Amino acid sequence: MEPEQGQGPGGAEYVLHLYITGATPNSTQAVRNLKDICERYLAGRYELQIVDIYQQPEMAQEARIVAAPTLVKRSPGLTRWLVGDLSDRRRVLALLGLSPDPNDPYLHG
């Protein structure tokens, strides 16, 4: 699967892979949450690859994915994993090494 969006002209600062299981509610929610976070916090600085493990099981096996949805941050820094629908925005931001935006409406819920 090709990277989806957000790559700036100088290359992506953040490389993210999201492993999902088709169009299940958790997978759909994870895609929605991650895309919203990327657009708010990383606009133009990220590359997001969404991998459906039903269609590409070899990629999930290669990445040692055992649950879905799973977000894998490949760069910057160390590779990190987060399992779930990514609705806990503070945990996602912590994984990405980003400070919460006080104006982010999803942090006050």
Side-chain angles (χ1 to χ4, degrees):
M1 195 174 270
E2 294 296 317
E4 283 203 355
Q5 58 185 323
Q7 188 171 0
E13 179 180 346
Y14 283 80
V15 177
L16 309 171
H17 294 178
L18 179 61
Y19 294 86
I20 61 171
T21 50
T24 61
N26 278 347
S27 292
T28 303
Q29 188 65 42
V31 170
R32 188 177 310 131
N33 288 334
L34 184 58
K35 283 186 174 181
D36 185 67
I37 289 168
C38 287
E39 286 304 311
R40 175 176 283 274
Y41 290 91
L42 300 172
R45 301 186 299 143
Y46 71 95
E47 174 186 304
L48 172 61
Q49 183 175 16
I50 298 174
V51 179
D52 184 342
I53 62 176
Y54 289 153
Q55 295 179 7
Q56 298 175 297
E58 69 284 349
M59 290 185 71
Q61 187 174 22
E62 185 176 301
R64 299 182 180 173
I65 301 300
V66 295
T70 297
L71 171 62
V72 180
K73 177 187 70 78
R74 301 265 181 218
S75 71
L78 299 174
T79 299
R80 301 277 188 215
W81 293 263
L82 182 62
V83 177
D85 67 3
L86 309 180
S87 60
D88 187 339
R89 188 167 284 229
R90 289 187 189 277
R91 288 188 71 192
V92 177
L93 293 174
L95 174 96
L96 298 174
L98 299 171
S99 299
D101 176 357
N103 297 319
D104 186 340
Y106 294 103
L107 291 174
H108 311 286

